Amino acid sequence: MSTLRVNEITHQGGTGSIVIPTGNTLRQDGLVVQTVQKIFNDVTSTAAAQTYVTATNADLSIITKLANSRIYVLISGQGYIDAGGGCNLGIQRTLGGVTTRLLGVDGAAGDTWMGAANANDTATSWNINRTFFDTPAVAAGTTIEYRILLGRWSAGTVYLNYAAYTGGSSITLLEIAQ
Amino acid sequence: MINKIANISSAIQSLRPGAQYVVRGEEYSGIEWMDQVLTQPTESEVTAEIDRLKNYYETIKYQDLRRFEYPSVTELADALYWQSQGDETKMTEYLAAVQAVKIKYPKGNV
């Protein structure tokens, strides 16, 4: 490997875009290497107590361009709960056939109530955004899947998205060079 | 305010109150039954209940519409006070406003 030491790189014409050809990657620690996003309207509803469940069509995969990148996961969900009790969103990762819960804790000491709509006596809409900075520690060219989880505390049915009302929830992945 | 929608979840809640389940998508096949005590309703039970709920929500839609347009309880309290002081003006206005909402959204005929 050779090293180029310069203080400045300038376009041949003085100003303009300096292109990195397709198939090549300019790597700088902390730089965003790629971004992928999915917006979906599919409805998931749950009445499972104090439990996170996988949401349908709420998954997105990224194929890493660099080794040892970190993945910044942003999820944004909107929906409805038809009684008080609380709800939340979580995140899971599937890598090499192994699924790992990244955000969201089940059970009586967990956080399925903490996102929105707790202590309400009536139905309400909700919007929850959560992020996770993952360190999968994988080689370039590895496929990693992330999925949104839907959690419900104790009362009512929680809906992620809602039938007949479009707008969508989303999951966004950023590969960050390290 | 949104329109209440009769769906698989609302049908299950009606047929099996308190049941634990997940529904992914909007088909019966998307049900994951998690309850250890209550049994999962059949597809025909769910379909029939969705139809029943649709009809029921239509007949009570007027209640939701009225609720958001009735004059406030604060206005009623104020009208009651002035009525106690011998002035019927605000109570007459209040009752007229209530009646206008009832006429605008008649029972079961929205």
Side-chain angles (χ1 to χ4, degrees), chain A residues 43-49 51 53-56 80 82 152 156-157 159 162-165, chain B residues 1-10 13 18-26 32 34:
Chain A
V43 179
T44 300
S45 60
T46 178
T51 302
V53 299
T54 54
T56 191
Y80 175 68
D82 62 9
R152 175 256 200 196
T157 297
Y159 296 83
Y162 197 65
Y165 291 87
Chain B
M1 178 186 75
I2 64 170
N3 293 323
K4 272 194 177 164
I5 293 176
N7 54 33
I8 294 176
S9 269
S10 56
Q13 279 183 303
Q20 299 200 37
Y21 60 90
V22 179
V23 183
R24 297 182 177 90
E26 297 171 63
E32 177 187 347
M34 300 170 76

Coordinates of all heavy atoms in Angstrom, one line a residue, chain A residues 43-49 51 53-56 80 82 152 156-157 159 162-165, chain B residues 1-10 13 18-26 32 34:
Chain A
V43 N -49.6 -2.7 9.0 CA -50.1 -2.6 10.3 C -49.7 -3.8 11.2 O -49.8 -4.9 10.7 CB -51.6 -2.4 10.3 CG1 -52.1 -2.3 11.7 CG2 -52.0 -1.3 9.5
T44 N -49.2 -3.5 12.4 CA -49.0 -4.6 13.4 C -49.8 -4.1 14.6 O -49.7 -3.0 15.0 CB -47.5 -4.8 13.7 OG1 -46.8 -5.2 12.6 CG2 -47.4 -5.9 14.8
S45 N -50.5 -5.0 15.2 CA -51.2 -4.7 16.4 C -50.8 -5.8 17.5 O -50.6 -7.0 17.1 CB -52.7 -4.7 16.3 OG -53.2 -5.9 15.8
T46 N -50.8 -5.4 18.7 CA -50.5 -6.4 19.8 C -51.2 -6.1 21.0 O -51.5 -4.9 21.4 CB -48.9 -6.4 20.1 OG1 -48.7 -7.3 21.2 CG2 -48.5 -5.0 20.5
A47 N -51.6 -7.2 21.7 CA -52.2 -7.1 23.0 C -51.5 -8.0 23.9 O -52.0 -8.5 25.0 CB -53.7 -7.5 23.0
A48 N -50.2 -8.3 23.6 CA -49.4 -9.1 24.5 C -48.8 -8.3 25.6 O -48.2 -7.3 25.4 CB -48.3 -9.7 23.7
A49 N -49.0 -8.7 26.8 CA -48.7 -7.9 28.0 C -47.1 -7.9 28.2 O -46.5 -8.9 28.2 CB -49.3 -8.5 29.3
T51 N -44.6 -7.2 26.6 CA -43.8 -8.0 25.7 C -43.5 -7.2 24.4 O -44.5 -6.5 23.9 CB -44.5 -9.3 25.3 OG1 -44.7 -10.0 26.5 CG2 -43.6 -10.1 24.4
V53 N -42.9 -7.5 20.4 CA -43.1 -8.4 19.3 C -42.6 -7.8 18.0 O -42.5 -6.6 17.9 CB -44.6 -8.7 19.1 CG1 -45.2 -9.4 20.4 CG2 -45.4 -7.5 18.8
T54 N -42.2 -8.7 17.1 CA -41.7 -8.2 15.8 C -42.8 -7.6 15.0 O -43.9 -8.1 14.9 CB -41.0 -9.3 15.0 OG1 -42.0 -10.4 14.9 CG2 -39.8 -9.8 15.7
A55 N -42.5 -6.5 14.4 CA -43.5 -5.8 13.5 C -43.3 -6.2 12.1 O -42.2 -6.4 11.6 CB -43.4 -4.3 13.7
T56 N -44.5 -6.3 11.4 CA -44.4 -6.9 10.0 C -43.9 -5.8 9.0 O -44.2 -4.6 9.1 CB -45.8 -7.4 9.6 OG1 -45.7 -8.1 8.4 CG2 -46.8 -6.3 9.4
Y80 N -51.4 4.0 17.1 CA -52.6 4.3 17.9 C -52.7 3.2 19.0 O -52.3 2.1 18.8 CB -53.8 4.2 16.9 CG -55.2 4.3 17.5 CD1 -55.6 5.5 18.1 CD2 -56.0 3.2 17.5 CE1 -56.9 5.6 18.6 CE2 -57.3 3.4 18.1 CZ -57.7 4.6 18.6 OH -59.0 4.7 19.1
D82 N -55.7 2.0 21.8 CA -57.2 2.2 22.0 C -57.6 2.2 23.5 O -58.8 2.3 23.8 CB -58.0 1.2 21.3 CG -57.8 -0.2 21.7 OD1 -57.1 -0.5 22.7 OD2 -58.3 -1.2 21.0
R152 N -46.1 -3.4 24.2 CA -47.4 -3.0 24.8 C -47.3 -3.3 26.3 O -46.8 -4.4 26.7 CB -48.5 -3.6 24.1 CG -49.9 -3.4 24.7 CD -50.4 -4.6 25.5 NE -51.8 -4.7 25.7 CZ -52.4 -5.5 26.6 NH1 -51.6 -6.3 27.3 NH2 -53.7 -5.5 26.7
G156 N -55.4 -2.2 26.5 CA -55.6 -1.8 25.2 C -54.8 -2.6 24.1 O -54.0 -3.5 24.4
T157 N -55.1 -2.3 22.9 CA -54.3 -2.9 21.8 C -53.5 -1.7 21.2 O -54.0 -0.7 20.9 CB -55.3 -3.5 20.7 OG1 -56.0 -4.5 21.3 CG2 -54.5 -4.0 19.5
Y159 N -51.3 -0.3 18.1 CA -51.2 -0.4 16.6 C -49.9 0.4 16.2 O -49.8 1.5 16.5 CB -52.4 0.1 15.9 CG -53.7 -0.6 16.1 CD1 -54.5 -0.3 17.2 CD2 -54.1 -1.6 15.2 CE1 -55.6 -1.0 17.5 CE2 -55.3 -2.2 15.4 CZ -56.1 -1.9 16.5 OH -57.3 -2.6 16.7
Y162 N -51.9 2.4 11.1 CA -53.3 2.1 11.4 C -54.0 2.0 10.0 O -53.8 2.8 9.2 CB -53.9 3.2 12.3 CG -55.2 2.8 12.9 CD1 -55.3 1.8 13.9 CD2 -56.4 3.4 12.6 CE1 -56.5 1.4 14.5 CE2 -57.6 3.1 13.2 CZ -57.7 2.1 14.2 OH -58.8 1.7 14.8
A163 N -54.9 1.0 9.9 CA -55.5 0.7 8.6 C -56.3 2.0 8.2 O -56.9 2.7 9.0 CB -56.5 -0.5 8.8
A164 N -56.3 2.2 6.9 CA -57.0 3.3 6.2 C -56.4 4.7 6.5 O -56.9 5.7 5.9 CB -58.5 3.3 6.6
Y165 N -55.4 4.7 7.2 CA -54.7 6.0 7.4 C -53.2 5.8 7.0 O -52.4 5.2 7.7 CB -54.8 6.5 8.9 CG -56.1 6.9 9.3 CD1 -57.0 5.9 9.8 CD2 -56.6 8.2 9.2 CE1 -58.3 6.3 10.2 CE2 -57.9 8.5 9.6 CZ -58.7 7.6 10.1 OH -60.0 7.9 10.5
Chain B
M1 N -59.6 13.4 15.8 CA -60.5 12.3 15.9 C -60.5 11.4 14.7 O -60.5 11.9 13.6 CB -61.9 12.8 16.1 CG -63.0 11.8 16.3 SD -64.7 12.4 16.3 CE -64.9 12.8 14.6
I2 N -60.3 10.1 14.9 CA -60.3 9.2 13.8 C -61.6 8.4 13.8 O -62.3 8.3 14.8 CB -59.1 8.3 13.8 CG1 -59.1 7.3 15.1 CG2 -57.8 9.1 13.9 CD1 -58.1 6.2 15.0
N3 N -61.9 7.8 12.6 CA -63.0 6.9 12.5 C -62.6 5.6 13.1 O -61.6 5.0 12.8 CB -63.4 6.7 11.1 CG -63.9 8.0 10.4 OD1 -64.6 8.7 11.1 ND2 -63.6 8.2 9.2
K4 N -63.5 5.0 14.0 CA -63.2 3.7 14.6 C -63.3 2.7 13.4 O -64.2 2.8 12.6 CB -64.2 3.4 15.6 CG -63.8 3.9 17.0 CD -64.7 3.2 18.0 CE -64.3 3.7 19.4 NZ -65.2 3.4 20.4
I5 N -62.3 1.8 13.4 CA -62.3 0.8 12.3 C -62.4 -0.6 12.9 O -61.7 -0.9 13.9 CB -60.9 0.9 11.6 CG1 -60.9 2.2 10.8 CG2 -60.8 -0.2 10.6 CD1 -59.6 2.5 10.1
A6 N -63.4 -1.3 12.4 CA -63.5 -2.7 12.8 C -62.5 -3.5 12.1 O -62.4 -3.6 10.9 CB -64.9 -3.2 12.4
N7 N -61.6 -4.1 12.9 CA -60.5 -4.9 12.3 C -60.3 -6.2 13.1 O -61.1 -6.5 14.0 CB -59.2 -4.1 12.2 CG -58.8 -3.5 13.5 OD1 -59.1 -4.1 14.6 ND2 -58.2 -2.3 13.5
I8 N -59.3 -7.0 12.7 CA -59.1 -8.2 13.3 C -58.9 -8.0 14.8 O -59.4 -8.8 15.7 CB -57.9 -9.0 12.7 CG1 -58.3 -9.4 11.3 CG2 -57.6 -10.2 13.5 CD1 -57.2 -10.1 10.5
S9 N -58.0 -7.1 15.2 CA -57.7 -6.8 16.6 C -59.0 -6.4 17.4 O -59.2 -6.9 18.5 CB -56.7 -5.7 16.7 OG -55.4 -6.2 16.7
S10 N -59.8 -5.5 16.8 CA -61.0 -5.1 17.6 C -62.0 -6.3 17.7 O -62.7 -6.4 18.7 CB -61.6 -3.9 16.9 OG -62.0 -4.1 15.6
Q13 N -60.6 -8.5 20.5 CA -60.8 -7.9 21.8 C -62.3 -8.1 22.2 O -62.6 -8.3 23.4 CB -60.6 -6.4 21.7 CG -59.1 -6.0 21.8 CD -59.0 -4.5 21.8 OE1 -59.5 -3.8 20.9 NE2 -58.4 -4.0 22.8
G18 N -59.3 -9.3 26.9 CA -58.1 -9.5 27.7 C -57.2 -10.5 27.1 O -56.1 -10.8 27.7
A19 N -57.5 -11.1 25.9 CA -56.6 -12.1 25.3 C -55.3 -11.4 24.9 O -55.2 -10.2 24.6 CB -57.3 -12.7 24.1
Q20 N -54.2 -12.2 24.9 CA -52.9 -11.8 24.4 C -52.6 -12.4 23.1 O -52.7 -13.6 22.9 CB -51.8 -12.2 25.4 CG -52.1 -11.6 26.8 CD -50.8 -11.6 27.7 OE1 -49.7 -11.4 27.2 NE2 -51.0 -11.9 28.9
Y21 N -52.3 -11.5 22.1 CA -52.1 -11.9 20.7 C -51.3 -10.8 20.0 O -51.2 -9.7 20.5 CB -53.4 -12.1 20.0 CG -54.3 -10.9 20.0 CD1 -54.2 -10.0 19.0 CD2 -55.1 -10.6 21.1 CE1 -54.9 -8.8 19.0 CE2 -55.9 -9.4 21.1 CZ -55.8 -8.5 20.1 OH -56.5 -7.4 20.1
V22 N -50.9 -11.1 18.8 CA -50.3 -10.2 17.9 C -51.0 -10.4 16.5 O -51.3 -11.5 16.2 CB -48.8 -10.4 17.7 CG1 -48.2 -9.4 16.8 CG2 -48.1 -10.3 19.1
V23 N -51.2 -9.3 15.8 CA -51.7 -9.4 14.4 C -50.7 -8.7 13.5 O -50.5 -7.5 13.7 CB -53.1 -8.9 14.3 CG1 -53.6 -9.1 12.8 CG2 -54.1 -9.5 15.3
R24 N -50.2 -9.4 12.6 CA -49.2 -8.7 11.6 C -50.0 -8.7 10.3 O -50.3 -9.7 9.7 CB -48.0 -9.5 11.5 CG -47.2 -9.6 12.9 CD -45.9 -10.3 12.8 NE -45.2 -10.3 14.0 CZ -45.3 -11.2 15.0 NH1 -46.1 -12.2 14.8 NH2 -44.6 -11.1 16.1
G25 N -50.2 -7.4 9.8 CA -50.9 -7.2 8.6 C -52.4 -7.2 8.9 O -52.8 -7.0 10.1
E26 N -53.2 -7.5 7.9 CA -54.6 -7.3 8.1 C -55.4 -8.6 7.6 O -56.5 -8.6 7.2 CB -55.1 -6.1 7.3 CG -54.5 -4.8 7.9 CD -54.8 -3.6 7.0 OE1 -56.0 -3.3 6.9 OE2 -53.9 -3.0 6.5
E32 N -50.8 -14.2 15.7 CA -50.0 -15.0 16.5 C -50.7 -15.1 17.8 O -50.7 -14.1 18.6 CB -48.6 -14.5 16.6 CG -47.7 -15.3 17.6 CD -46.3 -14.7 17.8 OE1 -46.0 -13.7 17.2 OE2 -45.7 -15.2 18.8
M34 N -51.0 -15.8 21.6 CA -50.1 -15.9 22.7 C -50.8 -16.3 24.0 O -50.1 -16.5 25.1 CB -49.3 -14.6 22.9 CG -48.5 -14.3 21.6 SD -47.8 -12.7 21.6 CE -46.4 -13.0 22.7

